[in-house]
């Protein structure tokens, strides 16, 4: 049954549009594309996080410039040939990666700025500062599952 002004389910196509400045969700019907509905959503990527301890300088991005403690090092997965420097990520703990700490998450998220590079062999997608890691998880966990968005 067709209702006037409604698009039949099989003709509605939801797409993800990724541009240099980010991604947003949109829909298309009959060749027309719109990003107005549904409203843009932030799509989280999944990965793992570890942490490193001070001193945080020098860093690969800013040398000896102190950028505070809500910082992180990027693994090859997000480093993007230094383009990650200065990017801000919201990181949320999703759970444990091992049996050491069964419920490591604090239930909070943390915003961090990429200031360093975590070289090949890095154990996490994002290597958080010790302070940033402690804001979202018990440091005794060492490594956690995360969702992160720019």
């Amino acid at each position: 049954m067709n209702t006037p002004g409604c698009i039949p389910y099989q003709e509605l196509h939801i797409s993800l549009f990724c541009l240099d400045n980010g991604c947003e969700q949109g829909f298309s019907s009959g060749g027309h594309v719109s990003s107005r509905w549904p409203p843009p959503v932030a799509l989280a990527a999944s990965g793992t996080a570890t942490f490193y301890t001070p001193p945080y300088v020098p860093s690969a991005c800013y040398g000896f410039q102190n950028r505070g403690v809500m910082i992180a090092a990027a693994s090859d997965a997000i480093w993007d040939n230094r383009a990650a420097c200065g990017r801000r990520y919201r990181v949320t703990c999703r759970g444990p990666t091992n049996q050491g700490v069964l419920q490591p998450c604090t239930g909070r998220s943390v915003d961090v700025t990429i200031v360093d590079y975590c070289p090949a062999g890095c154990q996490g997608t994002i290597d958080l500062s010790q302070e940033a890691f402690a804001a979202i998880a018990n440091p005794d966990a060492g490594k956690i599952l995360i969702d992160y968005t720019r």
Side-chain angles (χ1 to χ4, degrees):
M1 175 171 132
N2 282 342
T3 305
C6 292
I7 302 169
Y9 176 75
Q10 66 270 19
E11 292 180 23
L12 181 65
H13 304 282
I14 296 180
S15 304
L16 180 66
F17 302 97
C18 292
L19 307 171
D20 291 337
N21 61 349
C23 297
E24 63 180 57
Q25 195 174 13
F27 72 96
S28 65
S29 175
H32 173 72
V33 177
S34 172
S35 60
R36 295 175 200 237
W37 187 90
V41 295
L43 299 175
S46 296
T48 57
T50 52
F51 69 91
Y52 64 113
T53 58
Y56 299 129
V57 292
S59 68
C61 298
Y62 300 103
F64 285 93
Q65 185 179 8
N66 184 343
R67 305 295 285 196
V69 296
M70 291 302 159
I71 56 173
S75 70
D76 285 330
I78 61 172
W79 180 241
D80 196 17
N81 197 27
R82 287 185 111 72
C85 289
R87 283 185 187 155
R88 294 190 45 83
Y89 287 92
R90 174 158 290 174
V91 183
T92 305
C93 177
R94 285 192 306 119
T97 59
N98 59 40
Q99 298 301 314
V101 178
L102 296 178
Q103 296 179 352
C105 303
T106 65
R108 299 185 334 183
S109 295
V110 67
D111 293 329
V112 295
T113 302
I114 299 297
V115 300
D116 213 345
Y117 173 64
C118 190
C122 186
Q123 297 299 306
T125 308
I126 298 178
D127 198 20
L128 299 168
S129 68
Q130 183 176 12
E131 294 84 352
F133 190 96
I136 63 169
N138 181 340
D140 290 340
K143 184 177 184 179
I144 55 172
L145 299 174
I146 59 165
D147 284 335
Y148 61 97
T149 56
R150 271 181 62 187

